[in-house]
Amino acid sequence: SMGFDEVTDWEYYYPSEDDDNPDDRQVVQPNPLLGGDQPKRTRTSSGAVVRVFSAEFVGRLGGTLRAQGMDSRIIIKEFSGTGASQLAVEELLSMSELQSELLSKTENRNNNDEDDIPDYDDDDKNNDNDWMIPRSIQDDRNVQTLLKELSTAPVLGILGQVELSNVEFPPNDFYQAFRVKPPSKWARWIVYEYQGFNTVATYSVPPSIRRSNLPPKRGLLGNLIEPPPLPPFEDRANYIIRGILQQSLEALATLHDTTGRVHRSIGRTSLILTTRQSQDKRESSSIYATNVNDLRVKLSDFGFSTSLGGSNYVDEEFVVRARSFGLSFRPKEDSIATRNFAMAEDLHALGFVILGLFLTSLANSEKGKTTTTILNMTDEDSLQRLLGDIFDKDMTQFRDFLLEEEDDVWKDLVLYLDKYDGWRLLESMLQAREKAAAAVGKNQMITARGLLQHPLFTE
């Protein structure tokens, strides 16, 4: 089961002295950090729950997929309740537009794929229900074609949905099979391609902890065998930066450029780490994985996504967030500046995901005390507070702090980022909203596509 939180960042203002212009207020600086009734950030649970099931195609379609070396497994997400149902609607809308754009690029390609799909026995067409068979065969072929196309897409693809209002699940049978209660008849199931369950969140753990948690292996005499040492730091850093980070930016660029949509809820669980070839999807998230060519990153969770094609994305909450950066927008206003700021919010969110990934997976955390320090300061809220409130968004001060941390826990990471000017890339992402505000009137755009030209990826 999964849920989601609503995160609110609070900004405090002095009372307006101009009764005719109540919006003309000064921000309290520094922001009070007293807790209690003056919080900097609050989290509110949505109360909605999304259940996740693993399943597989069976019968003729499942057998055909396996015969072609394709994965017959699928993922089902169950959305129930008002909040979750709205998420499902937005997810379907976003993915229908995105997948249509992605698949339209293949329409003019020579369609030789059908030669690879086996013909079914013509005798099947001679039974009493022969009018049904061509449609079912074509449906199977469509699923196979869709799965092939989605496997290379930078997003987690959707195969369809199931309305449960007309489906009955015997409660006892369902509980015996899954050990959970059956779904409500008002629930909605969305069916996704299977790409495993490993995300940046599962990868963002100090490597010493992950190594110590590996299942023990024994030698011929029953003695415990120590897990292999970690790959060299340079190899792991290249995998994370030129693999996970680069493909994450490419996925976000595709979302922004191809469909003109923004994600609006990017987190560590939104980025799935999977493989290109192997059906063991766990390989890409192993601490020993260093082959970028076998990694594929897929963006998921589009329940809060919205289109930039109209003006609905500029709602009251958007206006309030923009105002804290000195931008004055009106609800329903659509302009280069509003689009720039909307995309910058995605880049900002991705920046904190990547910063947390760096500080955990590339930390030298062999000592227990060091590991505790890492875990206490690398969650998103702690990083937001550290960068925004303590170092006032100064990346140079933040870099020096990491370099001086005890046990040289981040020394290798700092020197690696120094070598490729990586701090400038992090600053561009973490301060994307500030840069979007500064670009107003200059006809400039802050884009994920532009960040892919950084020396971290090209040198």
Side-chain angles (χ1 to χ4, degrees), residues 390-414:
I390 298 178
F391 295 112
D392 196 24
K393 304 177 183 178
D394 189 322
M395 291 301 294
T396 300
Q397 291 186 31
F398 182 66
R399 173 207 174 274
D400 294 342
F401 163 77
L402 296 179
L403 187 61
E404 295 170 2
E405 188 65 26
E406 62 179 338
D407 300 325
D408 292 334
V409 60
W410 287 299
K411 181 178 179 180
D412 290 339
L413 171 62
V414 170

Side-chain angles (χ1 to χ4, degrees), residues 9-269:
D9 289 316
W10 294 88
E11 195 82 75
Y12 297 90
Y13 296 86
Y14 292 109
S16 175
E17 297 180 357
D18 186 355
D19 294 336
D20 295 331
N21 188 10
D23 291 333
D24 185 17
R25 301 173 296 170
Q26 289 185 331
V27 178
V28 177
Q29 294 289 357
N31 199 316
L33 301 174
L34 305 179
D37 60 348
Q38 291 183 318
K40 172 66 174 176
R41 165 175 284 203
T42 57
R43 288 181 178 270
T44 304
S45 175
S46 67
V49 176
V50 178
R51 298 199 298 186
V52 182
F53 300 90
S54 59
E56 66 176 332
F57 288 118
V58 295
R60 181 176 60 199
L61 176 57
T64 303
L65 291 172
R66 290 189 292 272
Q68 295 185 55
M70 300 175 65
D71 204 325
S72 62
R73 294 172 293 181
I74 54 176
I75 291 175
I76 296 175
K77 290 185 181 181
E78 177 192 301
F79 297 81
S80 58
T82 304
S85 296
Q86 186 59 36
L87 283 181
V89 171
E90 293 298 331
E91 180 114 348
L92 288 168
L93 176 62
S94 299
M95 291 307 301
S96 63
E97 293 183 6
L98 183 54
Q99 288 182 192
S100 295
E101 290 289 340
L102 293 174
L103 296 177
S104 67
K105 295 181 179 180
T106 66
E107 287 184 355
N108 296 326
R109 185 186 307 165
N110 291 330
N111 191 7
N112 296 322
D113 290 341
E114 290 194 8
D115 295 338
D116 299 329
I117 300 176
D119 292 330
Y120 297 103
D121 192 345
D122 289 339
D123 291 342
D124 289 342
K125 298 182 180 181
N126 296 325
N127 59 37
D128 293 336
N129 296 322
D130 59 353
W131 61 275
M132 295 179 59
I133 293 178
R135 177 64 180 272
S136 64
I137 292 176
Q138 187 59 49
D139 286 345
D140 287 354
R141 290 180 173 180
N142 289 339
V143 171
Q144 294 171 60
T145 301
L146 180 59
L147 282 171
K148 286 181 180 180
E149 296 295 339
L150 291 178
S151 66
T152 62
V155 295
L156 183 67
I158 288 180
L159 302 177
Q161 65 170 321
V162 179
E163 295 283 358
L164 301 183
S165 56
N166 296 321
V167 180
E168 292 187 7
F169 294 99
N172 292 336
D173 294 345
F174 194 93
Y175 182 81
Q176 289 178 1
F178 299 105
R179 299 300 179 188
V180 294
K181 66 179 182 179
S184 161
K185 69 176 183 178
W186 306 115
R188 185 195 303 253
W189 278 2
I190 299 182
V191 183
Y192 300 79
E193 60 169 333
Y194 183 86
Q195 294 295 342
F197 296 96
N198 292 294
T199 65
V200 168
T202 58
Y203 198 94
S204 298
V205 177
S208 61
I209 295 180
R210 298 186 63 197
R211 184 171 178 267
S212 65
N213 289 337
L214 290 175
K217 293 184 178 181
R218 295 185 179 272
L220 295 177
L221 301 179
N223 57 304
L224 288 175
I225 299 177
E226 186 76 11
L230 294 172
F233 176 86
E234 190 87 7
D235 293 345
R236 291 187 290 121
N238 286 339
Y239 183 77
I240 291 170
I241 292 173
R242 302 188 179 185
I244 298 176
L245 171 54
Q246 183 170 349
Q247 290 192 35
S248 298
L249 280 172
E250 289 172 349
L252 187 58
T254 299
L255 177 66
H256 290 171
D257 301 346
T258 302
T259 63
R261 298 189 72 88
V262 285
H263 192 281
R264 300 204 304 178
S265 62
I266 294 177
R268 297 183 188 185
T269 59

Side-chain angles (χ1 to χ4, degrees), residues 333-376:
E333 175 184 345
D334 181 35
S335 64
I336 291 179
T338 57
R339 296 186 180 202
N340 201 6
F341 188 77
M343 292 188 292
E345 289 191 309
D346 278 353
L347 284 173
H348 167 80
L350 180 59
F352 274 97
V353 169
I354 296 303
L355 180 60
L357 173 65
F358 284 178
L359 296 181
T360 50
S361 58
L362 293 177
N364 177 20
S365 55
E366 295 301 325
K367 300 182 180 180
K369 180 180 179 182
T370 304
T371 300
T372 303
T373 301
I374 294 171
L375 294 175
N376 287 341

